[in-house]
């Protein structure tokens, strides 16, 4: 499954019956809960990265990507928009990009 496939599946579940899937249940709880869950998963991935456990980090990273897409979907931000933003930044030094951001 690609990230595009996963994003499409999550988007399809946005208006589904919450009894039908975990994704629909999570989305029904609102953007704040989706953001909270993303944060929890990110922390778990950080812990595994620090520990150096590749297998657990891989698993947690998959959870992070899933929950990032759920959080984006909850706020009607598409993966395509995120990819377009990455493309816009391509070829720009990270230092230059950060210094150009409004404070």
């Amino acid at each position: 499954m690609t990230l595009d496939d996963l994003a499409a599946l999550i988007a399809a579940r946005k208006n589904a019956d919450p009894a039908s899937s975990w994704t629909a249940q999570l989305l029904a709880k609102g953007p704040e809960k989706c953001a909270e869950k993303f944060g929890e998963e990110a922390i778990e991935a950080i812990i595994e990265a620090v520990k150096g456990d590749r297998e657990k980090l891989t698993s947690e990273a998959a959870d992070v990507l899933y929950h990032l897409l759920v959080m984006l979907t909850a706020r009607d931000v598409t993966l395509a928009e995120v990819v377009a933003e990455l493309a816009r930044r391509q070829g720009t030094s990270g230092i230059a990009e950060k210094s150009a951001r409004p404070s």
Side-chain angles (χ1 to χ4, degrees):
M1 176 177 282
T2 68
L3 282 178
D4 287 324
D5 295 338
L6 183 57
L9 182 62
I10 291 167
R13 302 265 167 87
K14 186 169 184 180
N15 297 313
D17 177 1
S20 68
S21 79
W22 164 249
T23 302
Q25 286 179 22
L26 191 55
L27 288 165
K29 292 179 182 179
E32 295 81 6
K33 184 64 178 177
C34 295
E36 179 185 323
K37 189 62 180 164
F38 170 72
E40 290 171 8
E41 296 300 337
I43 290 167
E44 290 174 11
I46 291 165
I47 290 167
E48 295 309 332
V50 170
K51 286 181 178 179
D53 188 321
R54 289 186 89 247
E55 188 175 315
K56 287 183 180 176
L57 175 57
T58 299
S59 177
E60 293 301 338
D63 289 346
V64 167
L65 290 173
Y66 164 79
H67 285 283
L68 173 61
L69 292 173
V70 170
M71 181 178 67
L72 293 172
T73 300
R75 287 293 187 197
D76 297 318
V77 175
T78 67
L79 179 58
E81 290 171 304
V82 175
V83 170
E85 176 61 16
L86 289 170
R88 184 190 69 75
R89 294 180 186 184
Q90 189 172 1
T92 303
S93 155
I95 294 169
E97 191 275 328
K98 284 184 180 185
S99 68
R101 291 181 188 174
S103 33

